[in-house]
Amino acid sequence: MTHLAIPKTYKLYIGGAFPRSESGRTYEVTTSKGAFIANAAKASRKDARDAVVAARAAFSGWSGTTGYNRGQVLYRIAELLEGRRAQFVDELRSTDGLTEAAATKQVDSAIDAWVWYAGWADKYLQVAGNGNPVSGPYFNISTPEPTGVVAVIAPATHGLLGLVSVIAPVILSGNTVVVVASESSPLSAISLSEVLATSDVPAGVVNVLTGSAAEIAPWLASHADVNALDLAGAEALEWVDLQIAAADTLKRVLPPESGLPALTVDRVTFFTETKTVWHTKALI
Amino acid sequence: MTMEASNTRWLDYAPAPESTSILHLKKSYGLFIDGDFVAGSGRSFTTISPADEHSIAEIASADAGDVDRAVAAARKAYNSTWSKLGGADRGKYLYRIARLVQERARELAVAESLDNGKPIKESRDVDVPLVAAWFFYYAGWADKLEHAGLGPNPRALGVAAQVIPWNFPLLMLAWKIAPALAAGNTVVIKPAETTPLSALIFAEILQQADLPNGVVNIITGAGETGSLLVNHPDVNKVAFTGSTAVGRAIAKSTAGTGKKLTLELGGKAANIVFDDAPIDQAIEGIVNGIFFNQGHVCCAGSRLLVQENIETEVVDRLKERLVTLRMGDPLDKNTDIGAINSRAQLDRIRALSDIGEEEGATRWSAPCEIPAKGFWFAPTIFTGVETSHRIAREEIFGPVLSVLTFRTPAEAIAKANNTPYGLSAGIWSDKGSKVLAVADKLRAGVIWANTFNKFDPSSPFGGYKESGYGREGGRHGLAAYLTNAVLQSGANK
């Protein structure tokens, strides 16, 4: 007797849990040729707001961990992704119509991206910060700190690697993130959430919404408890309007990228704030 | 300020005014475009001394055509001279400017105090020396940009549009111009409407330095001129220091234009005093934190968070100290508290102070003789302030201190961070481990521990959250004026 497959229900990832959209909506995810694969959750404004609440709640704990600790957590993600590579290859082949070789290459690159960024967690401060030789009896040092809650529009292509390329640089410094996954390729995003949920990433550090970026992005851009907005995958959206909405609370805004964002330390430092601390020295 | 008790009058100071004879002011000033003063086409206005409301000079106002001409001059200078000059030569011009500022320091200080109302001891000992230091510091960066850790091939952006406030007129000009020129940009800068004088004297310094024409253009006018400048299609970079409301408008109008933007906006800084603080120094620090420059300081320590068990002692000693401050003629060398910069600002300070009383806080003002003319506001303390009060939430930008209390470090941190702003904060404690732990938790760009309101060209300055983005000062300050440099957060590309 052959085994009858059990298809997975793809849901959202908010605050460490996998809820359906509160709106009850789903949308059809299909192969590149149009065949049905799954009903993904179509996130609503309320889901976006719930995700921001979860991200804010997680910020204090995550940003308070050491860089060494966060580096190990990110490395752990790479370990678990490695163990589930076959699943991601299958999903990318079905949603993005990739050949096995191309899908494998993307999964390899995504694993390596986690490893590359993991190594930055306890180093970016040394690159982006410095002591300052002020002319007076003061100890003075500038260090980068995470900006806070970052909303991210993931690249529309490269369902897995695109997502990793924008999440990893944001969370390694201690930010928490609400990411809107690629609308056409959301399965990797939810499967990646399963990896995150079992990789010692605290609940709420990464929150993943699937659905229409055009619908959800304006709520995130105008949300008063979001500190920064990464428009990486927003090139096809009305992204200038999003930037204008973000100006109301003076969010930091990274403009759209055409194509896959490169792995850079600039993506890390952009979502940080430089804090300069002065302390008096005794005159002895 | 005179003493409260008249029998101490015999100890009072004799007047010691700085002479204005060092100034060589013109009756009217044009716009400084392409190396020359030219007439403005907008409606000119008068700049006055806020201490006695007398007219100082007639100032040109730049209209759209003037802004076009200034940007065109900056573009031409960028293309034809400045971008072709080596970093070492750009640095030499900046060194020249630093030296000329030092040579004309007294004149600049007198002009600044006359036009702004700040005490001469501050313009002489803080503002102008820092202006020279800023040019000297960035001069040295001009030929070392590739060593700044801002990428392998740091390049200038082009023409920078800069709009600065009235609280530190010449110092803010230096914060803007020095890094911009060191990085290889050319500049069009607009000083504030109420304080154009020192910038116009600075234009003369640029002529003495023989800076190539058009590298720096200084255009005067009101908010409309500033708006025309930042929205001009041929500028590559916008740098603004001022109110959060205007900063927000600029962030909107530059969205999607590709102009790189840095904003240094408002603040509502907490100055946290623990019961193990060195109290004598803390009292001086609180006074310096909020009454320096009449409280016209974006990073002013306007919220005093004092540990509950020492509140009475601290407030009593603060009042004792404030009674000894001398308010009056900004040009008098013994003056501690000068004039409020404008009638509009005085109205705002009065309105918010009245609201503080209406909302239930207790007001105490230092007993001062208020001069008959000019704009004045006595140093004022509100006690019994709650976090929901408007005087605990809104930037007053005047000599008004709101006192709140806390019991534990966690409560102090929560209250300090309970604001949409995040520019600065102060911590007073003799316990180093506590200071560092609290500094880690404060969401603000500049933390002063056992000091306050210290500035240095090598030290980055700028805010978190709605206090803006980007940093001024230090290596980080260069990033605001270079391509491919994202070292600082949020400087919108």
Side-chain angles (χ1 to χ4, degrees):
Chain A
M1 209 166 89
T2 53
H3 174 71
L4 185 62
I6 301 177
K8 185 159 83 184
T9 304
Y10 288 89
K11 298 190 281 189
L12 307 174
Y13 182 53
I14 299 175
F18 290 89
R20 291 185 168 83
S21 170
E22 65 78 37
S23 66
R25 301 179 306 173
T26 57
Y27 72 105
E28 281 194 9
V29 181
T30 62
T31 65
S32 53
K33 297 199 170 119
F36 174 79
I37 305 173
N39 289 309
K42 187 171 186 186
S44 65
R45 173 191 180 187
K46 177 73 164 70
D47 296 319
R49 295 171 67 96
D50 288 347
V52 172
V53 170
R56 175 59 63 193
F59 177 69
S60 170
W62 181 242
S63 62
T65 59
T66 63
Y68 178 46
N69 187 192
R70 286 193 302 276
Q72 290 183 84
V73 171
L74 263 64
Y75 186 78
R76 177 80 176 149
I77 297 170
E79 287 178 352
L80 294 205
L81 200 50
E82 184 80 51
R84 292 173 60 160
R85 52 190 307 128
Q87 179 194 355
F88 285 94
V89 169
D90 285 350
E91 281 172 350
L92 286 171
R93 290 184 67 187
S94 63
T95 55
D96 294 21
L98 301 182
T99 62
E100 179 162 11
T104 302
K105 191 175 169 218
Q106 186 177 148
V107 175
D108 289 347
S109 298
I111 294 166
D112 292 349
W114 281 115
V115 174
W116 193 76
Y117 278 121
W120 273 115
D122 55 3
K123 295 170 194 68
Y124 84 96
L125 281 94
Q126 292 175 305
V127 172
N130 48 256
N132 302 307
V134 296
S135 55
Y138 301 96
F139 173 79
N140 180 303
I141 189 164
S142 292
T143 45
E145 288 190 342
T147 293
V149 174
V150 180
V152 178
I153 312 302
T157 60
H158 297 81
L160 178 63
L161 181 56
L163 194 65
V164 173
S165 303
V166 291
I167 295 178
V170 171
I171 65 171
L172 80 82
S173 63
N175 291 300
T176 58
V177 66
V178 176
V179 60
V180 183
S182 162
E183 188 167 358
S184 62
S185 182
L187 303 192
S188 313
I190 295 306
S191 295
L192 180 68
S193 301
E194 294 162 9
V195 169
L196 299 173
T198 52
S199 312
D200 306 325
V201 181
V205 170
V206 179
N207 303 275
V208 179
L209 303 173
T210 54
S212 161
E215 178 192 338
I216 306 166
W219 301 119
L220 293 170
S222 63
H223 197 298
D225 209 22
V226 171
N227 299 96
L229 184 62
D230 182 353
L231 294 173
E235 200 175 31
L237 307 182
E238 299 291 333
W239 67 268
V240 175
D241 289 345
L242 297 175
Q243 191 171 3
I244 290 170
D248 263 325
T249 48
L250 292 158
K251 291 179 182 66
R252 291 80 175 107
V253 181
L254 200 55
E257 301 255 356
S258 40
L260 193 65
L263 308 190
T264 63
V265 71
D266 287 349
R267 287 197 83 81
V268 178
T269 54
F270 185 84
F271 297 104
T272 63
E273 307 287 332
T274 297
K275 175 184 276 181
T276 300
V277 178
W278 296 64
H279 196 296
T280 44
K281 289 179 184 170
L283 298 170
I284 51 176
Chain B
M1 183 192 303
T2 56
M3 295 289 227
E4 200 167 5
S6 59
N7 62 1
T8 57
R9 175 76 72 171
W10 63 276
L11 281 172
D12 215 348
Y13 292 76
E18 186 74 50
S19 170
T20 55
S21 63
I22 196 165
L23 297 175
H24 312 284
L25 299 180
K26 301 179 211 162
K27 279 196 174 134
S28 66
Y29 284 88
L31 311 170
F32 185 69
I33 296 177
D34 208 14
D36 277 315
F37 283 98
V38 298
S41 304
R43 201 166 148 195
S44 65
F45 57 98
T46 304
T47 189
I48 63 168
S49 159
D52 59 10
E53 302 173 58
H54 87 265
S55 299
I56 301 171
E58 193 74 5
I59 307 293
S61 173
D63 70 359
D66 297 325
V67 173
D68 273 343
R69 277 184 281 281
V71 173
R75 175 63 59 194
K76 191 183 79 185
Y78 179 75
N79 290 338
S80 64
T81 47
W82 201 240
S83 65
K84 300 206 164 105
L85 210 57
D89 284 344
R90 289 201 311 274
K92 284 181 182 175
Y93 280 112
L94 290 170
Y95 282 124
R96 280 190 192 177
I97 293 168
R99 284 302 199 220
L100 286 161
V101 167
Q102 288 174 327
E103 285 161 18
R104 297 179 66 171
R106 181 170 300 250
E107 176 190 357
L108 289 166
V110 170
E112 198 77 314
S113 283
L114 186 67
D115 202 25
N116 168 280
K118 66 173 65 199
I120 186 75
K121 74 171 183 186
E122 291 181 10
S123 50
R124 182 196 62 202
D125 297 346
V126 181
D127 295 56
V128 175
L130 277 174
V131 170
W134 232 269
F135 281 102
F136 203 87
Y137 174 81
Y138 277 106
W141 269 123
D143 58 356
K144 301 170 189 68
L145 298 176
E146 65 275 24
H147 300 290
L150 302 172
N153 183 24
R155 279 173 295 119
L157 297 164
V159 175
Q162 307 178 320
V163 176
I164 54 171
W166 46 258
N167 57 341
F168 295 91
L170 193 63
L171 183 55
M172 292 300 101
L173 173 146
W175 283 29
K176 294 282 181 284
I177 293 180
L181 297 194
N185 304 274
T186 57
V187 162
V188 181
I189 190 168
K190 189 197 86 73
E193 186 183 8
T194 60
T195 54
L197 194 61
S198 53
L200 295 164
I201 296 174
F202 182 79
E204 297 171 6
I205 285 177
L206 297 179
Q207 290 177 324
Q208 290 183 337
D210 205 21
L211 187 73
N213 292 345
V215 171
V216 172
N217 304 274
I218 301 173
I219 58 173
T220 43
E224 170 74 4
T225 302
S227 174
L228 288 166
L229 176 56
V230 301
N231 292 313
H232 195 286
D234 201 30
V235 306
N236 307 99
K237 157 79 193 178
V238 174
F240 172 76
T241 297
S243 74
T244 290
V246 174
R248 206 175 265 135
I250 293 174
K252 287 183 184 187
S253 69
T254 55
T257 61
K259 292 174 189 172
K260 189 161 178 164
L261 175 64
T262 44
L263 299 170
E264 204 271 274
L265 309 175
K268 192 73 189 176
N271 202 355
I272 303 169
V273 181
F274 287 100
D275 62 6
D276 54 5
I279 294 294
D280 289 341
Q281 288 89 335
I283 297 295
E284 289 307 304
I286 296 164
V287 170
N288 174 48
I290 184 62
F291 301 114
F292 173 64
N293 201 30
Q294 296 71 247
H296 300 329
V297 186
C298 46
C299 53
S302 53
R303 288 184 296 153
L304 173 62
L305 298 184
V306 57
Q307 201 151 15
E308 194 178 83
N309 54 317
I310 57 165
E311 185 199 9
T312 307
E313 181 193 359
V314 166
V315 171
D316 287 350
R317 291 185 61 173
L318 259 182
K319 289 178 180 173
E320 272 175 39
R321 180 67 181 92
L322 291 186
V323 166
T324 67
L325 293 183
R326 299 166 54 82
M327 186 167 91
D329 182 4
L331 292 177
D332 191 312
K333 289 171 227 175
N334 293 318
T335 291
D336 299 304
I337 306 283
I340 301 300
N341 180 253
S342 67
R343 183 176 298 283
Q345 188 56 28
L346 179 60
D347 289 345
R348 175 172 168 77
I349 297 166
R350 282 177 174 161
L352 271 167
S353 299
D354 290 346
I355 287 165
E357 280 186 284
E358 285 161 22
E359 289 189 329
T362 304
R363 176 180 185 158
W364 178 90
S365 291
C368 294
E369 269 176 32
I370 303 285
K373 279 187 171 172
F375 317 128
W376 304 91
F377 196 90
T380 294
I381 300 175
F382 278 98
T383 48
V385 178
E386 293 172 18
T387 49
S388 59
H389 287 169
R390 284 182 63 186
I391 54 170
R393 308 200 62 78
E394 294 180 31
E395 187 174 40
I396 299 173
F397 223 65
V400 180
L401 179 67
S402 297
V403 182
L404 297 93
T405 60
F406 67 92
R407 290 185 180 178
T408 63
E411 187 188 355
I413 291 161
K415 283 184 166 166
N417 288 338
N418 181 14
T419 166
Y421 294 116
L423 186 51
S424 65
I427 306 168
W428 297 85
S429 166
D430 254 347
K431 196 166 171 61
S433 56
K434 181 157 66 183
V435 167
L436 292 175
V438 172
D440 272 353
K441 297 279 186 190
L442 294 175
R443 301 289 291 161
V446 186
I447 313 277
W448 286 295
N450 296 316
T451 184
F452 210 95
N453 274 342
K454 288 286 180 295
F455 309 97
D456 191 279
S458 71
S459 180
F461 181 94
Y464 285 34
K465 301 195 280 186
E466 294 186 24
S467 288
Y469 33 73
R471 292 292 177 270
E472 297 185 279
R475 183 170 75 95
H476 294 70
L478 281 175
Y481 292 96
L482 292 168
T483 54
N484 306 321
V486 208
L487 179 61
Q488 57 191 338
S489 165
N492 288 340
K493 282 209 245 179

